[in-house]
């Protein structure tokens, strides 16, 4: 469907609890995951957008856990942040993906925002505001070819002109960060209120998976942006940076969560609904030695993915504490490693639900195929094959990975 859903988000920050530390962040994520999981299959089947669930997420304080301590936030570690996203993704990867860009653009403000910008936007986030994204464009030469323009409009502002696609989170946002180029081709982020004149969010996302992320279109028709809402994003890539590592760590966490969620549902199905193969001579599918073997193999893969995710988070934290070209490279390679490993694992787990559950698992009403659809859709975000290339060059020839923001 294609609608301008201006009612799908609150007019301003809803107010939120402030989380104190890493332990509270993980505990809160675990509690919300338990709350969100039971409705995930129905939301996917009927494409029920998770508006209420996102309001719960905002109110919980989880969206503010990366706000620096000097601004009142918990400033959790990258390892904790990835675990929070993994837990949410195991319950509903749509809900986990929606704030992925939120955390990325909070990070942009942290690195490139002025003191006044940080004070204002961190205050908004602490109050529960959600940041969306208007980044990717369709029909361009490649993913980093941006046609959207930020045109000077007098001395104190700009006009935004362009069309964005795959705008995950925009429909539910209070602020939409927009990637655009100025007249000198430098890349900037303009933080635009969701209800700005000339800004239209169109709910036309029709992907086979991640169906309730509302990753649709954003149109920008001479949207006026004050100069104090624009951040020079191109400066992010002029020295050692963790922008790409953090962004990709969150994508990896979503995939690890999908794999874990699929495994948990497959095992429960075997325990409660699947029948043993008659040649086993057993009364329970859970006692079938061949099913036991396969369940063990899959559990090992999920455990390995979780371990790689945690290790990558620690590598990002280590680099943040002592940021150099070498430490940033090590962090990017660690994140690339978990992403390259877990992408095929997540897809495999989405399919293994049926391998373990048998014919009955394929019934449409159960909607178990959402795991495969979600994994296959989300893992298309950026190709793991290029990550393997960068890993190989790094370990074999000592070549540091590029700073383009997707690694």
């Amino acid at each position: 469907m294609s609608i301008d859903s201006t009612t799908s988000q609150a007019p301003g920050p809803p107010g939120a609890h402030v989380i104190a530390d890493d332990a509270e962040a993980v505990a809160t994520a675990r509690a919300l995951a338990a709350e969100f999981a039971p409705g995930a299959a129905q939301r996917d089947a009927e494409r029920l957008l998770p508006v209420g669930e996102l309001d719960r997420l905002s109110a919980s304080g989880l969206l503010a856990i990366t706000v620096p301590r000097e601004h009142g936030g918990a400033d959790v570690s990258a390892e904790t942040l990835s675990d929070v996203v993994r837990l949410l993704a195991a319950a509903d990867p749509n809900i986990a993906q929606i704030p992925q860009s939120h955390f990325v653009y909070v990070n942009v403000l942290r690195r490139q925002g002025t003191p006044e910008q940080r004070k204002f936007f961190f205050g908004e986030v602490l109050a529960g505001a959600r940041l969306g994204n208007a980044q990717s464009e369709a029909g361009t030469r490649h993913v980093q070819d941006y046609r959207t323009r930020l045109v000077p409009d007098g001395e104190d502002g700009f006009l935004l002109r362009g069309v964005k696609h795959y705008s995950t989170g925009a429909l539910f946002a209070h602020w939409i960060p927009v990637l655009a180029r100025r007249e000198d081709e430098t890349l900037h982020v303009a933080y635009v209120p969701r209800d700005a004149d000339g800004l239209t969010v169109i709910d036309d996302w029709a992907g086979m998976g991640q169906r309730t992320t509302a990753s649709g279109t954003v149109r920008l028709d001479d949207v006026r942006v004050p100069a104090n809402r624009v951040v020079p994003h191109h400066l992010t890539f002029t020295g050692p940076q963790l922008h790409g590592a953090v962004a990709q760590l969150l994508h990896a966490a979503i995939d690890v969560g999908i794999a874990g969620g699929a495994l948990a549902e497959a095992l429960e199905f075997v325990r409660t609904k699947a029948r043993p193969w008659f040649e086993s001579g057993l009364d329970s599918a859970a006692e079938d030695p061949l099913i036991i073997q396969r369940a063990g193999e899959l559990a090992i893969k999920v455990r390995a993915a979780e371990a790689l995710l945690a290790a990558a988070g620690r590598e990002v934290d280590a680099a943040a504490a002592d940021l150099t070209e070498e430490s940033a490279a090590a962090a990017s390679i660690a994140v690339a490693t978990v992403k390259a490993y877990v992408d095929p694992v997540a897809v495999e787990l989405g399919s293994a639900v049926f391998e373990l559950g048998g014919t009955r698992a394929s019934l449409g009403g159960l909607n178990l195929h959402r795991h495969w659809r979600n994994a296959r859709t989300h893992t298309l975000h950026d190709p793991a094959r290029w990550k393997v290339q960068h890993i190989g060059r790094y370990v074999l020839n000592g070549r540091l990975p590029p700073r383009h923001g997707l690694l």
Side-chain angles (χ1 to χ4, degrees):
M1 63 181 176
S2 178
I3 56 174
D4 175 16
S5 298
T6 56
T7 58
S8 290
Q9 56 90 47
H17 170 70
V18 177
I19 287 176
D21 53 29
D22 294 57
E24 185 183 2
V26 173
T28 301
R30 199 178 300 279
L32 282 181
E35 181 181 323
F36 295 158
Q42 182 183 8
R43 284 191 296 272
D44 174 271
E46 300 178 21
R47 197 171 182 269
L48 302 174
L49 299 181
V51 178
E53 288 78 10
L54 289 174
D55 283 343
R56 287 281 294 116
L57 189 63
S58 289
S60 75
L62 279 179
L63 297 183
I65 58 176
T66 60
V67 171
R69 288 190 179 276
E70 60 266 29
H71 288 272
D75 200 6
V76 303
S77 67
E79 183 180 4
T80 292
L81 178 61
S82 66
D83 202 34
V84 164
V85 173
R86 178 190 67 81
L87 287 166
L88 294 173
D92 187 338
N94 294 266
I95 292 174
Q97 187 180 347
I98 290 168
Q100 189 268 345
S101 290
H102 168 95
F103 290 116
V104 168
Y105 286 106
V106 168
N107 202 32
V108 169
L109 287 162
R110 181 171 185 157
R111 301 307 172 193
Q112 300 302 336
T114 65
E116 292 76 18
Q117 287 171 330
R118 291 195 294 269
K119 179 179 179 181
F120 174 78
F121 280 109
F122 291 159
E124 289 280 290
V125 171
L126 284 166
R130 296 187 290 269
L131 307 184
N133 100 87
Q135 179 171 304
S136 294
E137 300 179 16
T140 56
R141 192 165 60 92
H142 53 69
V143 71
Q144 292 198 325
D145 181 14
Y146 303 113
R147 296 174 182 168
T148 299
R149 293 289 146 175
L150 194 61
V151 181
D153 177 34
E155 296 181 357
D156 63 343
F158 301 88
L159 294 177
L160 269 174
R161 297 169 181 161
V163 180
K164 298 289 189 176
H165 298 267
Y166 311 116
S167 303
T168 303
L171 189 67
F172 312 103
H174 301 95
W175 292 88
I176 301 179
V178 181
L179 274 184
R181 295 196 185 276
R182 289 194 58 178
E183 62 277 11
D184 61 359
E185 296 300 317
T186 55
L187 191 62
H188 291 69
V189 179
Y191 289 76
V192 184
R194 168 67 174 78
D195 59 357
D197 290 340
L199 187 153
T200 306
V201 180
I202 304 171
D203 181 20
D204 56 358
W205 171 238
M208 67 174 179
Q210 296 297 90
R211 299 183 65 222
T212 64
T213 59
S215 301
T217 302
V218 171
R219 294 188 179 277
L220 305 149
D221 298 311
D222 285 343
V223 178
R224 194 171 189 285
V225 185
N228 63 359
R229 296 291 182 264
V230 177
V231 175
H233 191 36
H234 61 283
L235 298 180
T236 299
F237 309 103
T238 57
Q241 52 81 27
L242 295 171
H243 175 82
V246 171
Q248 290 297 305
L249 182 71
L250 300 183
H251 280 303
I254 294 166
D255 295 334
V256 175
I258 291 173
L263 178 62
E265 191 155 8
L267 297 179
E268 180 63 15
F269 191 91
V270 169
R271 285 191 290 263
T272 60
K273 296 182 176 67
R275 296 187 299 179
W277 183 241
F278 73 95
E279 290 180 281
S280 72
L282 298 168
D283 295 327
S284 168
E287 296 300 323
D288 184 326
L290 299 182
I291 291 179
I292 288 172
Q293 175 72 20
R294 186 61 175 142
E297 292 169 350
L298 294 169
I300 290 168
K301 292 186 178 185
V302 172
R303 179 69 68 88
E306 291 172 349
L308 284 171
L309 181 69
R314 290 192 294 271
E315 198 74 53
V316 172
D317 289 326
D322 182 20
L323 188 60
T324 65
E325 292 283 4
E326 290 71 23
S327 66
S332 286
I333 292 299
V335 173
T337 299
V338 61
K339 191 73 166 59
Y341 177 80
V342 74
D343 278 13
V345 168
V347 173
E348 180 183 4
L349 263 294
S351 177
V353 170
F354 309 104
E355 181 185 347
L356 293 178
T359 305
R360 186 179 178 187
S362 69
L363 295 176
L366 297 173
N367 199 17
L368 294 178
H369 50 74
R370 76 186 188 280
H371 297 294
W372 183 88
R373 289 186 289 103
N374 288 335
R376 184 64 281 176
T377 299
H378 186 260
T379 56
L380 297 174
H381 188 274
D382 47 273
R385 59 186 176 272
W386 274 97
K387 298 183 186 303
V388 176
Q389 284 283 310
H390 292 306
I391 293 167
R393 291 169 186 155
Y394 180 78
V395 298
L396 186 60
N397 299 319
R399 188 181 305 175
L400 302 187
R403 296 177 183 162
H404 53 48
L406 293 176
L407 195 68

